[in-house]
Amino acid sequence: MKMLGIDIGGSGIKGAIVNTKTGALLSDRFRIETPKPATPEAVAKVIQEMVTHFNWKKAVGCSFPTTIVDGKCIHSGNLSEKWLHVKVDKLFKKECNLPFYISNDADLAGLAEVSLGAAKKEKGVVIVITIGTGIGSGLFYNGKLIPNLEIGKMLHSNGKIIELYTADSVRKKEGLKLAEWAKRFDNLLEYIRVVYTPSLIVLGGGISKKFDNFKQHLTTDVKVKVAKFKNNAGIIGAAMHAANNSKK
């Protein structure tokens, strides 16, 4: 099945037409800078531009960078406080006159990886971590999603949420060398090991492309893999989410 998947991030909004059976991109990926400020109205305009670019006339899947329950944003995340309590699916439908299926970005990246990618056929607890403007996380047990896990919102020892210590945006902002950042991220992986006992951790987000340059600084004894679909996992998972739900 062909479906348009859109991945909303803190720095960019990306989309492509996806073969939801294989995960292959059937079009070039199209990217637009995330508006500043990233208010609901501003982002909805970008989504409309994205739909127009692909001349898309059917349902759309969309991964969103915060907690989503029944299409509603219940945490403001890293975009804008104005997103709180917004029905994202209704907002985008009104803007584009198309049905939208919205879910958390890391959950949908995980859907792609568990169904078709690095965690395919993996049993037990699998956690997918997306590393970008913030820290996203998807939790799966024997291939089944347990939605809206927010590891990035857990508190670090300094009392602040841990993504303010370990996100890729923090690495860039503080000018950390990759080794310095990796040691911070290793602390998070060890915390995940103790609390969740995963059989596999899958790393996604833009920095996952640099895994070979920082993996030697990770000491956890949990199996760690890079997302097969790398930074496209959110797009692919969003398309799969729309395909799965538009059949119902």
Side-chain angles (χ1 to χ4, degrees):
M1 177 180 284
K2 293 198 303 185
M3 194 64 69
L4 177 60
I6 298 175
D7 184 12
I8 298 174
S11 60
I13 298 173
K14 307 172 288 291
I17 298 172
V18 177
N19 180 328
T20 59
K21 298 296 185 184
T22 66
L25 300 193
L26 302 176
S27 70
D28 289 337
R29 193 175 78 160
F30 184 55
R31 184 183 188 277
I32 303 172
E33 292 286 320
T34 303
K36 308 293 185 194
T39 62
E41 295 76 15
V43 171
K45 294 292 184 186
V46 172
I47 296 300
Q48 197 279 331
E49 184 179 348
M50 186 76 65
V51 168
T52 299
H53 171 83
F54 288 105
N55 192 29
W56 192 254
K57 307 295 185 184
K58 299 187 294 183
V60 181
C62 190
S63 63
F64 196 83
T66 190
T67 310
I68 297 288
V69 177
D70 295 328
K72 179 187 283 189
C73 177
I74 64 169
H75 190 284
S76 58
N78 295 311
L79 293 177
S80 164
E81 292 181 359
K82 294 182 178 180
W83 281 101
L84 189 61
H85 305 312
V86 169
K87 281 280 287 180
V88 185
D89 51 358
K90 286 189 175 182
L91 172 67
F92 291 171
K93 181 178 180 180
K94 181 179 179 181
E95 186 70 32
C96 301
N97 198 30
L98 295 173
F100 274 79
Y101 297 93
I102 315 289
S103 196
N104 173 264
D105 57 351
D107 284 353
L108 294 186
L111 175 65
E113 292 298 328
V114 167
S115 301
L116 302 170
K120 186 177 180 181
K121 298 183 179 179
E122 184 76 28
K123 299 297 183 183
V125 175
V126 172
I127 295 181
V128 178
I129 304 293
T130 57
I131 313 156
T133 303
I135 295 288
S137 51
L139 174 63
F140 296 80
Y141 181 67
N142 288 341
K144 182 176 177 59
L145 172 66
I146 301 167
N148 290 316
L149 175 70
E150 290 286 354
I151 284 175
K153 298 298 185 285
M154 296 190 303
L155 298 185
H156 184 40
S157 57
N158 62 7
K160 295 182 179 180
I161 60 174
I162 200 162
E163 69 181 3
L164 297 179
Y165 178 72
T166 55
D168 194 34
S169 58
V170 176
R171 177 185 69 87
K172 295 173 182 176
K173 182 179 178 181
E174 296 185 14
L176 298 174
K177 294 180 180 178
L178 202 56
E180 294 173 313
W181 170 83
K183 289 173 183 177
R184 291 188 180 191
F185 188 68
D186 191 47
N187 291 336
L188 176 60
L189 293 183
E190 179 61 13
Y191 191 83
I192 291 170
R193 183 193 67 80
V194 171
V195 175
Y196 295 100
T197 319
S199 59
L200 173 65
I201 296 174
V202 178
L203 303 184
I207 201 170
S208 64
K209 293 181 289 188
K210 301 178 181 179
F211 181 68
D212 286 342
N213 296 324
F214 67 80
K215 64 183 181 181
Q216 67 269 29
H217 302 292
L218 304 181
T219 63
T220 182
D221 59 3
V222 177
K223 183 166 56 173
V224 177
K225 290 185 178 180
V226 176
K228 174 182 176 180
F229 300 115
K230 296 186 170 62
N231 213 19
N232 289 332
I235 293 173
I236 296 165
M240 293 175 65
H241 180 59
N244 292 341
N245 286 277
S246 60
K247 297 175 186 176
K248 296 178 181 179

